[in-house]
């Protein structure tokens, strides 16, 4: 099941990430501004989008260099292929 939140305040973003993490869920957060940095840092995977502030990029685990969130999907697919190849050689 996927749950998506939109149009939330910085405080709400951080609360959402904390509560889902506390409940044992894996959390991901996308953001571009200074106000997103705390939630980006707290999430299991923080993703700063293209054009993000320095604070958001520093807090994120992944920084997108191309516009659009489809870059995340492409990155996951490529990462899975790389992981499979590494596993096959070990």
């Amino acid at each position: 099941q996927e749950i998506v939140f939109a149009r939330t305040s910085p405080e709400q973003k951080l609360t959402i990430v904390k509560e889902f993490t506390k409940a044992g869920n894996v959390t991901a957060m996308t953001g571009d501004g200074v106000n997103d940095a705390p939630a980006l840092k707290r999430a299991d995977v923080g993703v700063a989008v293209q054009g993000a502030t320095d604070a958001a990029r520093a807090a994120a685990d992944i920084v997108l260099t191309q516009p659009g969130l489809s870059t995340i999907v492409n990155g996951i697919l490529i990462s899975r292929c790389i992981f499979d190849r590494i596993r096959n050689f070990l």
Side-chain angles (χ1 to χ4, degrees):
Q1 179 180 341
E2 296 176 11
I3 300 174
V4 177
F5 292 92
R7 299 189 182 267
T8 55
S9 71
E11 295 82 16
Q12 290 171 323
K13 293 173 187 179
L14 185 56
T15 300
I16 290 166
V17 169
K18 283 180 180 179
E19 291 302 315
F20 273 88
T21 302
K22 187 167 50 173
N25 296 292
V26 175
T27 56
M29 164 72 185
T30 60
D32 65 351
V34 173
N35 61 337
D36 295 325
L40 288 169
K41 188 71 172 172
R42 184 70 183 252
D44 293 305
V45 180
V47 181
V49 298
Q50 182 192 31
T53 63
D54 290 340
R57 288 195 307 256
D61 300 298
I62 299 170
V63 178
L64 303 182
T65 59
Q66 297 176 357
L69 297 178
S70 64
T71 307
I72 297 171
V73 175
N74 294 336
I76 291 170
L77 294 174
I78 292 169
S79 298
R80 286 179 178 166
C81 289
I82 293 169
F83 183 77
D84 286 342
R85 287 184 182 180
I86 292 171
R87 190 173 49 198
N88 288 334
F89 285 108
L90 295 179

